[in-house]
Amino acid sequence: MAAICIVLLLLLARAFWQGDIAWQYVSENLFSKSILSGVSNTIIMTFCAMVVGIVLGVIAAIMRMSDNPVLRNISIGYVWLFRGTPALLQLLLWFNLALIFPRIGIPGLLSVRTVDVMTPFVAALLGLGIQQGAYTAEVVRAGLLSIDKGQMEAAQSIGMTKLRATLKIVLPQAMRVIVPPIGNETIGMVKLTSLASVIQYSEVLRSVEDIYYVNSRVIELLIVAAIWYMVAVTILSIAQIYIERHFSKGWGRRDAGAQHATHQALVGEAG
């Protein structure tokens, strides 16, 4: 099987090398100003959308676990709505919000044209960030539920409110469970920003499209986009490893200690 895989990879590399691909266009455009600008916009959108998503996700998760039925049902409805509609549809809705509300603002104080506010950046940020919040809410809730209830009870016994105990005691411990899926969601967001090209946001794919509409070298420019997406994903994957190690400090040693104690107990019983 390993030999077959190696042969297939070599044949694939040979096909790309001998195919009708003008590799000079790849090298010429890889570090062009417009492409680098698109890469920068992709990174900015990724982190901005993830910040919005994480903030909304934490709030929605805490609301979901609240004793207040109103807050709990609002959280359930938010997750249901924004997980149930495609990201592209949400981007288009935000971008065309002016068709429903020509002007937005505070009645009697401030009123602006929606088309001036809902730029491609704002529409992409709202569409991607709010949808991400719905997914993050479930990740955070799963992390909070993974912590023993005794932690909450102990915090409340010394006078902490449930909200403060969640933020100060439970959530920091739950980070070990929360961080890996959030890291995966961040990596996914890098690629999800490509949808923003539909609403004219100048990320990597949009920048590539603007170039190959002029020179007609479609495959070459798509390879450029693929290279930059892979670079971004690789860097984020390495960062995720170190972040996971940081939040897992002590857990590995604790598990090893428990296994050693169990081994010693079994040896003692056998003796």
Side-chain angles (χ1 to χ4, degrees), residues 69-241:
V70 175
L71 296 179
R72 189 167 60 249
N73 285 310
I74 289 174
S75 175
I76 293 172
Y78 164 68
V79 173
W80 169 78
L81 177 62
F82 288 99
R83 284 203 310 177
T85 52
L88 181 57
L89 174 61
Q90 294 182 41
L91 291 175
L92 292 172
L93 287 172
W94 284 110
F95 189 61
N96 293 284
L97 190 65
L99 298 176
I100 307 174
F101 304 104
R103 303 187 70 87
I104 57 176
I106 303 174
L109 295 178
L110 178 65
S111 178
V112 295
R113 294 196 310 161
T114 305
V115 70
D116 295 331
V117 176
M118 203 56 60
T119 62
F121 176 84
V122 174
L125 178 62
L126 292 175
L128 297 175
I130 293 175
Q131 188 203 44
Q132 181 59 46
Y135 287 97
T136 303
E138 293 300 286
V139 172
V140 174
R141 186 170 70 91
L144 296 176
L145 292 175
S146 69
I147 304 302
D148 188 86
K149 292 183 179 180
Q151 298 285 333
M152 176 66 72
E153 294 171 355
Q156 290 180 304
S157 68
I158 60 174
M160 281 190 173
T161 62
K162 187 175 182 180
L163 177 60
R164 186 176 181 185
T166 299
L167 295 176
K168 297 290 186 180
I169 305 297
V170 179
L171 186 58
Q173 297 183 66
M175 290 300 291
R176 182 179 65 92
V177 178
I178 294 172
V179 166
I182 292 296
N184 291 334
E185 294 287 346
T186 303
I187 291 171
M189 182 61 73
V190 173
K191 295 169 286 185
L192 200 61
T193 57
S194 61
L195 295 177
S197 63
V198 176
I199 59 172
Q200 303 173 13
Y201 179 67
S202 298
E203 45 73 58
V204 177
L205 191 59
R206 179 74 183 187
S207 301
V208 163
E209 289 174 348
D210 291 340
I211 296 175
Y212 72 58
Y213 285 150
V214 176
N215 61 17
S216 300
R217 307 307 303 194
V218 178
I219 295 297
E220 290 81 357
L221 271 299
L222 291 178
I223 291 174
V224 170
I227 290 173
W228 278 114
Y229 280 123
M230 289 302 301
V231 169
V233 168
T234 301
I235 294 173
L236 288 175
S237 299
I238 295 172
Q240 180 183 353
I241 292 172

Side-chain angles (χ1 to χ4, degrees), residues 23-53:
W23 290 100
Q24 67 271 20
Y25 283 94
V26 176
S27 58
E28 288 175 4
N29 291 281
L30 189 60
F31 296 101
S32 66
K33 185 177 179 180
S34 60
I35 295 296
L36 292 179
S37 176
V39 173
S40 176
N41 289 338
T42 294
I43 294 173
I44 291 171
M45 179 57 65
T46 297
F47 283 99
C48 289
M50 287 306 300
V51 168
V52 172

